[in-house]
Amino acid sequence: TIDLIVEEDKNNLIISVKDYACGMPEKVKNKLFKEMITTKGKNGTGLGLSIVKTILETHGYKYGVNSSKGNGTMFYFEINRKSN
């Protein structure tokens, strides 16, 4: 099961994607957004989350990941909905 969660918090829109798998070890979590890091061996390029990080930072969005063993993983990003 994968959940897509959209929440509003004051002037922010928070978008999360959550799974209910086994979670990830801390050493993997600490390297997730770095370029050329992959858990897929020869089948991965290690660019996916690095590119996502660059896009989110370029637009000033906050982002992160919460994961703990046995409780799954949740990626999130927060969009500031500035009023014009």
Side-chain angles (χ1 to χ4, degrees), residues 32-49:
L32 273 180
F33 294 99
K34 294 181 181 174
E35 190 173 328
M36 306 309 286
I37 300 296
T38 182
T39 59
K40 296 178 184 130
K42 293 181 181 182
N43 294 323
T45 63
L47 294 175
L49 287 176

Side-chain angles (χ1 to χ4, degrees), residues 6 9 13 20 23 26 33 38 43 52-53 58 65 69-70:
V6 180
D9 177 27
L13 189 63
Y20 297 89
E26 197 68 26
F33 294 99
T38 182
N43 294 323
V52 169
K53 174 187 172 193
T58 297
V65 61
K69 191 171 182 175

Side-chain angles (χ1 to χ4, degrees), residues 7 10 15-16 19 23 25 30 32 36 44 46 50-51 63 78 83:
E7 302 172 292
K10 295 184 182 180
I15 301 171
S16 306
D19 72 28
N30 291 336
L32 273 180
M36 306 309 286
S50 175
I51 291 170
Y63 63 93
E78 189 174 307
S83 56

Side-chain angles (χ1 to χ4, degrees), residues 13-17 32-33 47-65 74-80 82:
L13 189 63
I14 304 163
I15 301 171
S16 306
V17 178
L32 273 180
F33 294 99
L47 294 175
L49 287 176
S50 175
I51 291 170
V52 169
K53 174 187 172 193
T54 301
I55 292 168
L56 294 174
E57 288 178 349
T58 297
H59 293 284
Y61 299 160
K62 295 179 183 177
Y63 63 93
V65 61
M74 180 169 64
F75 287 90
Y76 65 89
F77 65 97
E78 189 174 307
I79 301 171
N80 187 333
K82 298 176 185 171

